[in-house]
Amino acid sequence: MTLRHERAERHRIQIRKGDNVRVISGPDAGKSGRVLSIDAKKDRLVVEHVAILKRHTRPNPNKNIKGGIVEKEGSIHVSNVMVVCGSCGKHTRIGHKVLPDGSKSRVCKRCDATLDKG
Ligand SMILES: [Zn+2]
């Protein structure tokens, strides 16, 4: 096992856009949803229905904006979420496996099922 250098290496986000994730800490803990976008530089991501920001807007007829409360997803830090495995349905750490055709795949650490579709 070569775990020695792991801390020194630059942390890379293993979560991909479109993944189903569960929030494991913070005010939205327990919620889950699909990853809508990822900010790799800030290690943050936007998950649907999670970290909803309510923005109160004024009507602006010139820009065709209706007044009221607009709900929009805010970003949360990647360390607060874990990928939900589509096979066993549990949130899991991500492992890696080389497939017979030589391509790499992310796999569920719990059940070994691939997390990459297609
Ligand atoms: Zn699994």
Side-chain angles (χ1 to χ4, degrees):
M1 297 296 264
T2 54
L3 290 168
R4 269 185 309 152
H5 301 297
E6 222 171 43
R7 278 172 189 279
E9 275 171 26
R10 198 183 125 61
H11 172 75
R12 244 200 251 137
I13 299 178
Q14 297 181 325
I15 292 166
R16 303 272 182 275
K17 196 170 165 181
D19 280 353
N20 205 21
V21 297
R22 180 166 300 156
V23 183
I24 49 158
S25 63
D28 284 301
K31 288 186 186 175
S32 59
R34 199 164 294 274
V35 176
L36 300 176
S37 68
I38 296 173
D39 186 337
K41 282 180 189 165
K42 291 180 183 165
D43 281 351
R44 299 181 74 86
L45 37 84
V46 177
V47 182
E48 66 176 354
H49 309 315
V50 171
I52 297 295
L53 303 172
K54 284 186 180 169
R55 191 166 293 173
H56 298 257
T57 56
R58 270 170 207 276
N60 185 340
N62 296 331
K63 291 181 183 170
N64 203 22
I65 295 170
K66 284 181 192 158
I69 301 167
V70 176
E71 294 193 352
K72 192 177 182 298
E73 281 94 353
S75 68
I76 55 173
H77 198 264
V78 283
S79 62
N80 288 342
V81 305
M82 289 184 93
V83 164
V84 175
C85 172
S87 186
C88 66
K90 293 171 181 167
H91 58 275
T92 180
R93 287 171 61 208
I94 297 171
H96 292 90
K97 199 156 89 175
V98 179
L99 301 175
D101 68 356
S103 65
K104 282 178 190 165
S105 176
R106 297 176 303 152
V107 296
C108 171
K109 283 263 195 185
R110 291 184 196 256
C111 72
D112 222 30
T114 181
L115 297 168
D116 296 315
K117 301 123 204 156

